[in-house]
């Protein structure tokens, strides 16, 4: 038996190749894909443009507007304090020749540190808006005091004027029992003050009718 020749072998190889190509086209075989996949870049984080929230700043508390009047613990003098808008004035008076006007701020905790002429000073504390406890130093002498919250006509009064070419400056403290303590200075010379009408504030000084008014800071 004769073996197939080279030409026949070549034809058989071509037929097999054509058969394999036809088979791939009809079955849809695809070459295996690579396991590597390019990952999409992660989106950049979004930053909030809103302003950071800040806690509200608490408003500063302030002592209520009120008037206070009382006497020193040694009963040597009277004292009155008027508080308005975080400021205070005070008047110390013995009803004869010694007096002093003082002024200053009221701290958030109710503390008062007032100063006046000739080194006078007052240190006190508001007690729940009902009274002021503290000390006052005038003329080198220190006095402890308690001044209760006053209701009109109690409280602090003042009158200034010029009478017969003399400068008049009068201060009065009307206490809750109706008693009055005051000093009038004429060109800087102090003397006991005449009574005022607490309903109207009218007072007669050296024959001149004046009007005292509630004193406030």
């Amino acid at each position: 038996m004769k073996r197939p020749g080279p030409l026949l072998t070549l034809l058989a190889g071509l037929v097999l190749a054509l058969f394999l190509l036809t088979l791939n086209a009809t079955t849809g075989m695809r070459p295996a894909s690579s396991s590597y996949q390019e990952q999409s870049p992660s989106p950049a984080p979004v930053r909030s443009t809103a302003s950071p929230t800040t806690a509200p700043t608490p408003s500063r508390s302030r002592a209520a507007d009120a008037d206070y009047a009382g006497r020193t613990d040694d009963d040597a003098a009277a004292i009155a304090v008027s508080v308005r808008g975080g400021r205070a004035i005070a008047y110390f008076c013995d009803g004869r020749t010694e007096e002093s006007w003082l002024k200053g701020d009221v701290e958030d905790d109710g503390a008062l540190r007032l100063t006046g002429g000739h080194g006078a000073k007052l240190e006190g504390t508001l007690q729940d808006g009902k009274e002021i406890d503290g000390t006052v130093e005038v003329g080198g002498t220190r006095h402890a005091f308690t001044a209760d919250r006053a209701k009109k006509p109690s409280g602090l009064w003042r009158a200034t004027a010029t009478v017969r070419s003399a400068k008049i400056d009068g201060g009065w403290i009307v206490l809750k029992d109706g008693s009055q303590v005051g000093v009038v200075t004429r060109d800087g010379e102090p003397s006991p003050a005449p009574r005022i009408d607490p309903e109207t504030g009218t007072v007669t000084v050296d024959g001149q009718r004046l009007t005292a008014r509630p004193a406030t800071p």
Side-chain angles (χ1 to χ4, degrees):
M1 174 180 266
K2 294 182 179 181
R3 293 180 180 180
L7 181 58
L8 184 59
T9 302
L10 179 61
L11 289 173
L14 289 173
V15 171
L16 179 62
L18 288 173
F19 175 77
L20 292 175
L21 288 173
T22 304
L23 183 63
N24 286 340
T26 57
T27 57
M29 292 179 64
R30 294 180 182 177
S33 60
S34 171
S35 61
Y36 172 80
Q37 293 183 354
E38 184 178 358
Q39 296 182 353
S40 301
S42 301
V46 179
R47 295 184 179 181
S48 173
T49 58
S51 301
T53 303
T54 56
T57 302
S59 58
R60 297 179 66 189
S61 59
R62 192 169 68 183
D65 296 348
D67 299 311
Y68 302 84
R71 297 192 66 87
T72 58
D73 291 356
D74 57 11
D75 205 32
I79 189 162
V81 182
S82 178
V83 176
R84 297 290 187 279
R87 296 279 297 171
I89 62 170
Y91 182 55
F92 171 93
C93 176
D94 69 356
R96 297 182 296 277
T97 59
E98 190 169 48
E99 66 170 356
S100 181
W101 292 92
L102 308 97
K103 62 182 179 179
D105 294 326
V106 182
E107 302 296 333
D108 293 343
D109 59 0
L112 295 88
R113 293 176 178 84
L114 314 183
T115 58
H118 307 290
K121 60 183 179 180
L122 179 150
E123 295 182 357
T125 303
L126 279 166
Q127 304 291 348
D128 298 325
K130 297 179 180 179
E131 64 182 24
I132 298 176
D133 295 332
T135 60
V136 58
E137 185 174 333
V138 176
T141 303
R142 177 173 294 185
H143 309 266
F145 72 90
T146 298
D148 297 326
R149 188 161 182 165
K151 295 181 179 180
K152 289 184 179 180
S154 298
L156 179 57
W157 297 75
R158 191 173 192 176
T160 58
T162 300
V163 177
R164 299 176 183 175
S165 300
K167 183 178 179 180
I168 302 295
D169 188 356
W172 291 263
I173 298 172
V174 179
L175 301 170
K176 62 181 179 181
D177 62 1
S179 61
Q180 299 182 16
V181 181
V183 166
V184 168
T185 62
R186 299 169 178 82
D187 289 336
E189 293 295 325
S191 63
R195 288 182 59 86
I196 64 171
D197 181 344
E199 297 301 326
T200 62
T202 56
V203 59
T204 301
V205 177
D206 297 341
Q208 180 73 38
R209 188 183 180 92
L210 306 178
T211 299
R213 302 185 185 280
T216 58

